[in-house]
Amino acid sequence: MTKRSRKSISIFDGNILRQAIVESLKKLSPHIMVKNPVMFIVEVGCAVTTLLFVRDMLTSGHASAPLWFTVSVSVWLWFTVIFANFAEAVAEGRGRAQAESLRKIRKDTLAHLIKDGIETDVSSTILARGDIVVIRAGEVIPGDGEVIEGVASVDESVVTGESAPVIRESGGDRSAVTGGTRVLSDEIHVRITTDPGSSFLDRMISLVEGSSRQKTPNEVALHILLVGLTLVFLLVSATLVPLARYSGITLSVTVIAALLVCLIPTTIGGLISAIGIAGMDRLIRKNVLAMSGKAVEAAGDIDTLLLDKTGTITLGNRMASELIPVGGVTQEDLAESTFQASISDETPEGRSIVSLIGLQYDTAGFKKKLNGMVEYIPFSAYSRMSGCDFDGIMIRKGAVDAICAFVEGSGGTVSPQVRQTAERISEGGGTPLAVSRNADVLGIIHLKDMVKEGIGDRFDRFRAMGIKTVMVTGDNPRTAAAIAKEANVDGFLAEATPEKKMALIKEEQAKGRLVAMTGDGTNDAPALALADVGIAMNTGTQAAKEAANMVDLDSDPTKLLEVVEVGKQLLMTRGTLTTFSIANDVAKYFAILPAMFAGVYPEIAPLNVMRLTSPASAILSAVIFNAVIIILLIPLALRGVKYRPLGAATLLRRSLMIYGVGGIIVPFIGIKAIDMVLKALGFI
Amino acid sequence: MNVYGWAQIFLYFLVILALTRPMGNYLYRVFEGERKPFPGIFGAAEYFVYRALMVDKNKEQTWKEYAFSLFIFSFFGILALYALQRLQFFLPFNPQTLEGVTPELAFNTAVSFVTNTNWQAYPGESTMGYLVQMAGLAWQNFLSAGAGIAVAFALARGLTRKANQAKTATIGNFWVDITRCTIYVLLPLSLLGALFLVSQGVIQNINPYREIVTLEGTRQSVAMGPVASQEIIKELGTNGGGFFNANSSHPFENPTPLTNFIEMVLIFLIPAGLTYTYGRMSGNRRQGWVLFCAMAILFMTGTAACYQAESHPNPILAGLPLDHSQGNMEGKEVRFGTSGSALFTVITTAASCGAVNSMHDSYTPMGGLVPLVNIMLGEVVFGGTGAGLYGMLIYAILAVFIAGLMVGRTPEYLGKKIEIREMQYAMAYILIFPVIVLITAAWSAAAPYGAGSVSNGGPHGLSQILYAASSAGGNNGSAFAGLNANTPWWNIMLGIAMLAGRFLMIVPVLAIGGSMAAKKDIPPGPGTFPTDGFLFVILLTGAVIIIGALTFFPALSIGPIVEHFMAQAGRRF
């Protein structure tokens, strides 16, 4: 199996950056800016200082501040807005690049529409929900739909990156087909299940491009905080004018605009939409299609995860795990006969038996003894056993009842130990197979539903994140308990029916927990829809995909780990940058306030703790720092703050140290450095 | 600074610490407990009030109904108090035959006492007769304190209650809360406290003012009145309106260092106790202690700074041959000294009390900065009765929102998610206060009718303006008394500031209570950000300082801060 991983795009991809520069200027249009009130205020500030500069330039004499100062502040204020737009444009550019690769899938193809038994060729773009089309070998499936007739092997690599073809057939859980994938063999009839423009891909493309991106609830709540702070600082700056005038200090509009822009949370305000777009983008690179940003955020809050047992936790086919001899039979003797009975068995169980024995014994020796005339007895549903006859020896392997009957029929006796062993294995969730030679039962093979390797570690990671895992299975409670223990899940739901699944989700939700569920079958659909986050496997049915709010193209149910991480990263990145942004204000005050008042109150000098060169350079340095920090934080906004499952208190302490305390200290250093550079370059 | 001063400060803190739990438990029993204390006496009185008011004590209100009841109640309170003042010349118990109060001053005073501010633009003994003092001002001292406590309980219920079974989320019944608060808490404590004050020399009579001949042979009029009964609720209810103009520095209000200490304890008694009550309501006492700790850190820092500043003389006087061992004694009573005065000042401004035992206007710039900052932080350092708790809880919600994001979860407080609506209300609460204070101050500073009341030049004049605006907006009531506030502009402007500072801010508080009451609570998990540990204390303290400081630092820097540097440099005005 080869995986074609989605092309990862460098943050500094030249094409995207070039486009982003153009975009960031286009976004200066006020009707776009007004969507982000924080940056809109900055733009208004820019406009005012620029007008002031123009006025001062034309009418010499009564300039409120030196001309070079007004123009420098104006330019850097513009940069602040442009940098913020640039961040958003880069994020959108990366999304668009992803969308481009998705869009290639959604080519306009010819569809053979069947109406009233007559086949007509139409463009795939006009197919509507309910239309029936026929697709033959070598053709591209024109839209998302459900197979209603036939069976075919389909190459879905465009969507999943998986090169091995998959079988799609009518009925059952493998009936869903995705538009853009190619039928390799046979012919299928498909009922289209989406209207034009609303297929999975269409919705996804518009989401990653940011065009239909709606602010998520948490983003809106944060926006309210930011707008509130902006209003506070607007008030602070505006009322400072009369308060200062009372003290005999005249503040120029330029200085007030500089103060305002430095105080309002431009860092987070400028990066907030880039963070959101980049989050969706990261998810797609993990091959998960999300229907809304809201679902991704909800994933970060998941408390309980329901997982299907088969195919998720276990491999889904039974594997030999142990050979148990009965009576006086030796382990090696049993192994030899079992090997001989299984060598022609091509079922997964048979192969697993051969490979288990191969791990412990030199099977070449066993094979040699089969040199003579060997007659292989294939498995039949009637006999429920298989095996081989050679040199007058009859070796059989099969269901315990069948072997017992066979042995007794051959004149042998079955010791009670055989049935006891078989029962014990059944109780433990395994399947026993008996092996006999002539009229003797040699022993029992323990077939087990094998838990996927490494799955326990993944569940440990879920646990560290505070997520409870629940295994859902149709097995009886005993079997379920055994597998649950081995797989290291926190709980299980045995003998699950769709009703029981729904009841479990409702019960968890009533306790205030957020529930995620992975599923693929049509019978999972109601539960997927009910869960707060439903992730459907791409191999699943259309019904399951429609009910879910995410689809995993790789059909890897533990992918939820990554989805949860992306969700948490989204919130963390917002939180840390907000903290950083607010903490920055402390240093800016110490730069700007002494500079504003030093003229009338020279005694205020001790407040100038950074010892900045002059009032003008102090204000300019703060403004430059404020703009540059946005650019410097773009990579962080796009990548997201790294999430570590450390427990909330530890996480918070780290973040507070880095972004809170760091946010207070960094600007002191940064502003001082900029001031020194300005001085060294002779600007001031 | 000396060891006795520090000893008094630490003893005071220990007494508050010791009283927090019993007071908190008592309040919990009164408001939330099944079995109320003294059912025979208090229960009967409560029953009688409900009968008279036709209140069904089992019927809970939604936040809107609760707010409406509170507003109606306060509106009629203002009307009645206004009428009492205007008409006092033909009402009884007015032995000095004081005239009716002017309309602006009557408006200002009525608003002032109903909003628990007790800003006084008048000298008590020469303006208000005994009937107005007893039936008007003292009456409102009880009820405005009770209203604040009621709102705090309403919010606390919203935050701590498990999801309501009923569809409509209710947060208690205003009439029940205010009745219980008065009957079970304020009246009995005031009765006991007033007796103690009388034993210490606080007067309690309705006699005409005494004419006496002093040792020097001059005639002097000594004001009389029912002082003890009003003094006690003035502190207990964090009201602060003095019977006399000199407030708690007057020997009839606060005669001894012991009464001074007890008065200080009374100011913090209920606000500190409420933190514990809140912890009990949330089912986790540490939730309450966390709030207490954050308040205590801010309080002790302020006290240390103020005491330190006041222990040093005015730098301009420092060179003169005077006894500087007591520090800056201008405007302070010798019987309280710098520590007893500085401590009282920090307490009265940390809580929204506003009673004073020394003149804040005469403090050193840094010493005066502390009370100003206390008010500007929103009076959440223990704060007013009820108002301190609900103010701090709003800060807690903001801190949880930002910090909660940093742990990668939708923020939740006490298991309830903080979403769009709560942020809208919390930001409204945060925004209203600076809007009131900064606009009032800026307008007054710019207009001659405002700035004309200032008595000092230079930055100290601006401090006076800032202090008046903050004190009114923050419902504190203390003053940098150098400002002549009894002018039409200041009376009306500060009246509006007090109204807005009280009622506009209560709306979002009750709204948050209502919307949180309706929410399902989520059981805490390992990913939940814990709000009952020391980390949250730091975070909460940081949030209060950062939000408060960022808002007012620019204005303060051209007020007390630059005044400090100039005093150090020896510049005079």
Side-chain angles (χ1 to χ4, degrees):
Chain A
M1 287 195 293
T2 52
K3 272 243 161 121
R4 186 192 54 127
S5 71
R6 235 158 251 287
K7 200 177 88 188
S8 74
I9 300 157
S10 153
I11 284 181
F12 300 106
D13 183 281
N15 259 333
I16 292 178
L17 294 191
R18 264 190 298 281
Q19 269 184 28
I21 291 170
V22 179
E23 278 294 307
S24 58
L25 293 175
K26 279 188 195 158
K27 282 171 188 280
L28 287 175
S29 156
H31 77 270
I32 299 177
M33 289 300 296
V34 82
K35 286 180 193 156
N36 184 341
V38 179
M39 295 317 291
F40 182 68
I41 294 280
V42 181
E43 192 176 37
V44 171
C46 297
V48 170
T49 54
T50 309
L51 283 177
L52 208 68
F53 167 69
V54 172
R55 191 202 68 181
D56 285 358
M57 204 170 54
L58 297 179
T59 61
S60 55
H62 61 277
S64 53
L67 218 50
W68 70 268
F69 177 74
T70 311
V71 75
S72 314
V73 169
S74 308
V75 166
W76 279 100
L77 292 187
W78 281 113
F79 273 138
T80 313
V81 187
I82 292 170
F83 289 170
N85 287 348
F86 179 72
E88 192 181 272
V90 169
E92 284 174 353
R94 286 155 59 84
R96 241 196 316 275
Q98 294 285 2
E100 213 48 58
S101 67
L102 289 171
R103 198 176 274 125
K104 283 191 191 125
I105 302 165
R106 198 198 49 179
K107 279 178 295 211
D108 184 8
T109 51
L110 206 60
H112 313 298
L113 178 68
I114 296 185
K115 215 168 198 174
D116 307 324
I118 305 155
E119 190 180 313
T120 44
D121 284 359
V122 297
S123 160
S124 63
T125 50
I126 63 154
L127 289 179
R129 181 191 288 260
D131 284 349
I132 290 166
V133 291
V134 59
I135 305 124
R136 305 195 174 86
E139 289 175 347
V140 170
I141 297 174
D144 293 357
E146 202 177 349
V147 180
I148 51 169
E149 200 185 316
V151 50
S153 65
V154 179
D155 172 13
E156 294 195 338
S157 60
V158 280
V159 182
T160 62
E162 188 84 40
S163 61
V166 290
I167 301 294
R168 291 285 173 254
E169 59 195 345
S170 61
D173 287 351
R174 292 166 158 213
S175 62
V177 289
T178 312
T181 57
R182 186 177 293 274
V183 174
L184 294 179
S185 69
D186 305 291
E187 177 182 313
I188 45 174
H189 286 69
V190 169
R191 185 192 292 118
I192 298 296
T193 47
T194 51
D195 283 324
S198 67
S199 76
F200 230 85
L201 279 171
D202 292 313
R203 279 192 275 171
M204 200 59 214
I205 288 168
S206 63
L207 269 174
V208 285
E209 282 186 327
S211 52
S212 76
R213 205 179 76 88
Q214 291 196 322
K215 284 181 191 164
T216 59
N218 174 266
E219 214 176 332
V220 175
L222 182 58
H223 247 292
I224 291 165
L225 176 83
L226 298 181
V227 170
L229 288 175
T230 304
L231 289 175
V232 168
F233 290 124
L234 194 59
L235 184 75
V236 168
S237 308
T239 54
L240 195 56
V241 176
L243 289 174
R245 186 167 298 144
Y246 171 89
S247 314
I249 303 163
T250 312
L251 297 174
S252 71
V253 175
T254 313
V255 168
I256 285 294
L259 175 72
L260 174 64
V261 171
C262 285
L263 293 183
I264 62 177
T266 48
T267 313
I268 177 68
L271 294 173
I272 189 166
S273 60
I275 295 170
I277 298 168
M280 293 299 288
D281 182 49
R282 273 202 299 281
L283 206 57
I284 292 182
R285 256 177 288 142
K286 300 200 158 143
N287 262 349
V288 177
L289 301 187
M291 286 299 96
S292 68
K294 197 175 164 184
V296 182
E297 248 170 36
D301 287 350
I302 288 303
D303 302 289
T304 307
L305 168 62
L306 306 190
L307 292 152
D308 232 7
K309 185 198 81 174
T310 312
T312 304
I313 294 171
T314 62
L315 290 168
N317 32 28
R318 289 157 194 269
M319 310 274 267
S321 69
E322 200 186 352
L323 299 180
I324 306 159
V326 290
V329 181
T330 66
Q331 184 82 30
E332 185 164 0
D333 195 12
L334 172 63
E336 185 180 336
S337 295
T338 310
F339 181 82
Q340 287 157 351
S342 308
I343 192 154
S344 64
D345 186 352
E346 281 303 310
T347 63
E349 287 91 349
R351 280 206 298 265
S352 80
I353 293 169
V354 170
S355 67
L356 175 75
I357 295 169
L359 288 176
Q360 296 171 15
Y361 300 99
D362 175 25
T363 50
F366 298 160
K367 225 176 190 168
K368 265 186 201 150
K369 295 191 181 169
L370 290 174
N371 270 344
M373 277 289 292
V374 183
E375 190 193 340
Y376 292 106
I377 315 290
F379 177 85
S380 80
Y382 173 72
S383 66
R384 291 193 295 147
M385 56 188 176
S386 60
C388 60
D389 296 342
F390 65 98
D391 297 345
I393 304 171
M394 290 187 296
I395 299 177
R396 292 289 181 277
K397 176 195 75 179
V400 177
D401 291 345
I403 294 290
C404 289
F406 177 74
V407 166
E408 276 159 1
S410 315
T413 50
V414 177
S415 79
Q417 200 194 344
V418 172
R419 290 214 158 80
Q420 282 164 12
T421 311
E423 244 164 60
R424 206 191 58 217
I425 289 170
S426 300
E427 281 172 7
T431 307
L433 288 184
V435 179
S436 70
R437 189 166 58 208
N438 297 335
D440 295 312
V441 179
L442 298 178
I444 304 282
I445 307 167
H446 185 172
L447 289 181
K448 236 164 101 176
D449 199 354
M450 294 299 279
V451 169
K452 279 187 184 170
E453 213 173 312
I455 198 99
D457 298 342
R458 300 217 109 192
F459 292 141
D460 277 337
R461 282 178 64 196
F462 276 121
R463 204 162 295 124
M465 285 178 173
I467 297 170
K468 183 176 130 187
T469 45
V470 177
M471 181 183 84
V472 177
T473 170
D475 292 343
N476 64 54
R478 274 190 154 147
T479 311
I483 295 172
K485 194 168 169 227
E486 194 181 339
N488 189 20
V489 290
D490 298 312
F492 63 87
L493 178 71
E495 287 165 358
T497 58
E499 293 75 34
K500 269 187 157 180
K501 288 185 203 174
M502 305 271 283
L504 178 66
I505 294 173
K506 278 184 188 150
E507 187 192 319
E508 288 287 314
Q509 285 173 337
K511 287 183 202 152
R513 300 204 175 101
L514 247 66
V515 182
M517 153 140 189
T518 61
D520 49 7
T522 301
N523 64 356
D524 289 331
L528 283 172
L530 184 66
D532 300 285
V533 176
I535 302 188
M537 301 298 109
N538 193 48
T539 52
T541 60
Q542 193 63 32
K545 289 198 213 170
E546 297 250 313
N549 38 25
M550 286 185 209
V551 174
D552 177 15
L553 297 178
D554 296 339
S555 303
D556 170 9
T558 54
K559 187 67 82 58
L560 192 84
L561 261 180
E562 271 104 56
V563 178
V564 169
E565 273 177 11
V566 169
K568 286 189 181 292
Q569 274 188 322
L570 261 181
L571 298 181
M572 286 171 69
T573 312
R574 281 188 205 132
T576 49
L577 289 183
T578 306
T579 309
F580 186 82
S581 198
I582 297 171
N584 271 201
D585 282 4
V586 176
K588 291 173 190 163
Y589 267 146
F590 281 99
I592 298 178
L593 291 180
M596 288 173 119
F597 307 134
V600 172
Y601 293 134
E603 293 88 348
I604 207 163
L607 225 49
N608 179 10
V609 290
M610 285 172 270
R611 300 272 165 268
L612 301 174
T613 316
S614 70
S617 83
I619 293 170
L620 196 54
S621 302
V623 172
I624 294 175
F625 175 84
N626 193 51
V628 169
I629 197 76
I630 295 180
I631 284 284
L632 294 182
L633 289 173
I634 289 177
L636 180 72
L638 296 187
R639 280 198 209 107
V641 173
K642 191 158 170 49
Y643 171 76
R644 292 182 184 83
L646 294 174
T650 321
L651 262 183
L652 181 68
R653 202 172 307 124
R654 289 174 69 116
S655 297
L656 271 182
M657 280 310 290
I658 300 172
Y659 299 96
V661 178
I664 292 176
I665 297 168
V666 165
F668 277 104
I669 300 167
I671 292 173
K672 177 70 185 170
I674 293 170
D675 179 71
M676 284 160 72
V677 169
L678 287 178
K679 193 181 173 190
L681 293 178
F683 283 121
I684 40 171
Chain B
M1 285 188 285
N2 59 46
V3 69
Y4 300 108
W6 285 113
Q8 170 164 237
I9 290 166
F10 282 106
L11 177 67
Y12 173 77
F13 181 71
L14 289 178
V15 169
I16 291 300
L17 187 64
L19 287 173
T20 296
R21 206 182 129 143
M23 190 64 208
N25 274 328
Y26 184 76
L27 286 166
Y28 182 84
R29 250 183 101 185
V30 169
F31 285 90
E32 299 291 295
E34 286 300 316
R35 287 176 47 230
K36 313 277 180 219
F38 305 107
I41 313 159
F42 298 160
E46 189 188 351
Y47 175 76
F48 173 76
V49 171
Y50 295 154
R51 283 283 303 269
L53 296 175
M54 291 184 292
V55 167
D56 175 2
K57 69 172 176 161
N58 295 318
K59 191 185 170 295
E60 291 230 331
Q61 295 173 312
T62 64
W63 79 264
K64 283 180 187 157
E65 291 164 346
Y66 202 99
F68 183 73
S69 302
L70 175 96
F71 290 165
I72 284 289
F73 181 72
S74 304
F75 176 71
F76 284 103
I78 292 172
L79 273 192
L81 187 48
Y82 180 84
L84 264 179
Q85 293 176 78
R86 299 280 289 139
L87 304 174
Q88 73 165 329
F89 57 91
F90 65 68
L91 293 173
F93 300 111
N94 186 3
Q96 300 309 116
T97 57
L98 297 167
E99 293 170 17
V101 181
T102 63
E104 312 94 68
L105 182 59
F107 160 74
N108 182 286
T109 307
V111 167
S112 169
F113 277 74
V114 172
T115 57
N116 198 251
T117 312
N118 296 28
W119 172 266
Q120 292 168 294
Y122 60 90
E125 56 271 51
S126 59
T127 314
M128 303 295 175
Y130 296 158
L131 185 75
V132 177
Q133 292 271 21
M134 291 188 295
L137 305 183
W139 169 264
Q140 278 305 333
N141 278 353
F142 279 94
L143 295 176
S144 67
I149 295 172
V151 172
F153 270 97
L155 175 63
R157 288 185 191 116
L159 294 177
T160 59
R161 275 185 181 174
K162 306 301 167 210
N164 255 317
Q165 305 303 332
K167 281 277 174 236
T168 51
T170 55
I171 50 174
N173 182 317
F174 173 74
W175 306 106
V176 172
D177 285 341
I178 197 158
T179 306
R180 285 188 180 150
C181 187
T182 311
I183 292 174
Y184 288 88
V185 184
L186 298 177
L187 274 174
L189 284 175
S190 296
L191 189 67
L192 293 175
L195 288 174
F196 167 79
L197 289 179
V198 168
S199 79
Q200 294 293 305
V202 178
I203 59 170
Q204 178 76 10
N205 62 52
I206 47 170
N207 301 334
Y209 296 174
R210 282 262 188 98
E211 293 294 321
I212 59 163
V213 180
T214 65
L215 286 176
E216 293 160 336
T218 54
R219 298 183 66 82
Q220 188 184 340
S221 169
V222 178
M224 293 284 115
V227 179
S229 58
Q230 194 163 336
E231 184 67 18
I232 184 71
I233 188 64
K234 173 186 113 185
E235 264 83 33
L236 183 65
T238 65
N239 296 284
F243 193 94
F244 301 114
N245 190 35
N247 211 305
S248 279
S249 59
H250 194 291
F252 284 172
E253 285 201 19
N254 189 6
T256 66
L258 180 61
T259 55
N260 193 51
F261 191 85
I262 297 297
E263 286 184 9
M264 292 192 293
V265 169
L266 287 169
I267 295 174
F268 271 3
L269 183 63
I270 293 176
L274 276 172
T275 62
Y276 187 83
T277 314
Y278 175 72
R280 272 196 73 174
M281 288 170 76
S282 74
N284 174 3
R285 276 154 228 233
R286 290 171 58 117
Q287 297 284 2
W289 285 118
V290 158
L291 301 183
F292 182 94
C293 285
M295 292 170 170
I297 289 172
L298 290 166
F299 169 64
M300 291 309 269
T301 312
T303 307
C306 190
Y307 181 41
Q308 203 275 342
E310 290 310 297
S311 306
H312 298 286
N314 183 332
I316 288 163
L317 301 179
L320 299 179
L322 297 166
D323 175 15
H324 295 303
S325 64
Q326 291 298 305
N328 173 31
M329 281 299 287
E330 183 193 311
K332 294 191 180 67
E333 293 294 304
V334 176
R335 66 183 185 284
F336 307 135
T338 36
S339 76
S341 303
L343 181 57
F344 196 108
T345 295
V346 177
I347 292 166
T348 198
T349 50
S352 77
C353 183
V356 293
N357 74 349
S358 54
M359 295 303 120
H360 298 178
D361 198 30
S362 299
Y363 275 46
T364 61
M366 284 293 115
L369 176 68
V370 174
L372 189 49
V373 167
N374 268 339
I375 299 172
M376 285 173 166
L377 292 181
E379 289 165 349
V380 292
V381 184
F382 296 101
T385 49
L389 179 67
Y390 66 66
M392 199 54 144
L393 287 174
I394 304 293
Y395 274 115
I397 287 172
L398 280 181
V400 162
F401 182 79
I402 299 172
L405 285 180
M406 286 202 286
V407 303
R409 266 179 89 93
T410 306
E412 57 205 31
Y413 183 53
L414 301 185
K416 297 189 175 190
K417 281 201 186 321
I418 301 169
E419 290 165 303
I420 296 170
R421 265 170 41 132
E422 291 74 45
M423 282 313 286
Q424 280 170 337
Y425 296 133
M427 282 320 290
Y429 182 91
I430 294 295
L431 194 56
I432 290 165
F433 182 59
V435 165
I436 298 166
V437 173
L438 288 175
I439 289 180
T440 308
W443 192 338
S444 303
Y449 42 81
S453 289
V454 170
S455 63
N456 291 82
H460 194 77
L462 191 67
S463 301
Q464 289 179 342
I465 294 173
L466 279 174
Y467 199 103
S470 309
S471 179
N475 294 151
N476 184 279
S478 67
F480 259 24
L483 183 88
N484 171 26
N486 194 5
T487 66
W489 162 257
W490 283 104
N491 273 330
I492 292 168
M493 196 63 186
L494 293 182
I496 294 168
M498 288 185 279
L499 278 177
R502 178 76 165 183
F503 296 112
L504 281 188
M505 291 173 81
I506 279 178
V507 174
V509 170
L510 289 174
I512 290 178
S515 90
M516 291 296 258
K519 291 194 182 197
K520 270 196 295 197
D521 68 310
I522 306 151
T528 319
F529 161 51
T531 54
D532 61 350
F534 192 67
L535 192 60
F536 190 63
V537 173
I538 302 288
L539 194 70
L540 187 55
T541 315
V544 172
I545 294 175
I546 294 249
I547 293 176
L550 288 182
T551 312
F552 294 108
F553 191 72
L556 290 174
S557 66
I558 44 173
I561 293 174
V562 76
E563 189 189 352
H564 167 77
F565 289 125
M566 293 166 93
Q568 296 297 320
R571 189 158 151 199
R572 269 175 282 174
F573 291 89

